[in-house]
Amino acid sequence: MPTRFPSWLRQHLAALRTLLVLTVVLGVAYPLAILAVAQLPGLKDRADGSLVTNARGQHVGSSLIGQSFTDSDGNPLPAYFQSRPSAAGDGYDPTSTSASNLGPEDVVDTVDDPATPDDESGQSLLTQVCARSLAIGEREGVDGARRYCTASGVGAVLAAHHAGPGFDGPITRVVSVNEACPTTPFLATYQGVAVACREPGDDIAAGERVVVRGGAPDNPAVPADAVTASGSGLDPGISPAYAELQIPRVARERGLPVDRVAALVDENTTGRALGFIGEPSVNVLALNLDLDRVSAGP
């Protein structure tokens, strides 16, 4: 007569058999099957990370992840198309993919000296956009002015202090919150009160926040994707408008006809998925590699 195990032991043995079977099927057989399928022609490149090689056969990146084209000091290389900003780690770090988490209400810089920050850590989103737009405008030879930005490239924001409690009563003092002293504020007066630069220790939160529109055009010369990071921080593409803005500079630096560079931009532009999803995009890495193939790049 066969031995009959206690019910609790039979339950544990059944659970163990299930664990072993599922481990073999899902932990070994299934991953190997997926790996085998991924090696099929047409899938292998994507499964390996969509790696991109240069003319010498060296891996230089992935077509799915953007990268910066700068020198050792972080300055943009003038002979290359530039990518959009990235908030992922130090820039396009796939292990730190993220957005800045800054929103439209983030307009006041938090650094002790707003006029001279070494990085963007204390800058508001508005000042980051203003500074980037000004720098790109200078690099590309266009007007980098934007609405709600000062001519110096910070957010045009005031703190208006009132005589009464809260925001009641006449205005007694106005401070340009993103312009540290000593400097001349972007606006001389506001509602008849002289505008002062921001002194250390100023209680900015106590004043009424006023964002000044300024006289910049509604449609700035520098596109939005040139001054804002993508949600992932890894976006490999830029808008055709940003690529078009850079064509004259790249053509000049490489000694190529503008039409030739524009043709390369068109060749590396993908349209909307299925004709209506998303926006057209220019892959910056692929475009720069094509440029290196047709001309001598640094």
Side-chain angles (χ1 to χ4, degrees), residues 33-77:
I34 295 299
L35 178 61
V37 172
Q39 302 309 304
L40 294 175
L43 298 179
K44 179 175 173 54
D45 176 66
R46 296 184 181 182
D48 289 342
S50 299
L51 298 178
V52 178
T53 58
N54 59 16
R56 296 184 294 274
Q58 301 168 320
H59 290 304
V60 293
S62 168
S63 62
L64 303 178
I65 299 178
Q67 59 182 271
S68 300
F69 295 88
T70 56
D71 60 20
S72 58
D73 295 324
N75 300 311
L77 294 171

Side-chain angles (χ1 to χ4, degrees), residues 83-86 120 124-137 144 146 149 220-230 238 242 245:
S83 308
R84 67 184 303 179
S86 171
E120 297 179 346
S124 64
L125 177 62
L126 178 58
T127 288
Q128 289 182 22
V129 168
C130 295
R132 291 166 180 167
S133 187
L134 184 64
I136 292 172
R146 301 186 88 82
C149 295
V222 179
D225 67 301
V227 297
T228 55
S230 65
I238 58 176
Y242 187 26
L245 180 66

Side-chain angles (χ1 to χ4, degrees), residues 79-80 250-251 253-256 260-261 264 288-298:
Y80 286 94
V250 173
E253 292 292 333
R254 289 181 178 264
L256 292 173
R260 182 71 179 98
V261 178
L264 290 176
N288 283 333
L289 287 176
D290 281 349
L291 281 168
D292 282 346
R293 293 187 183 101
V294 301
S295 70

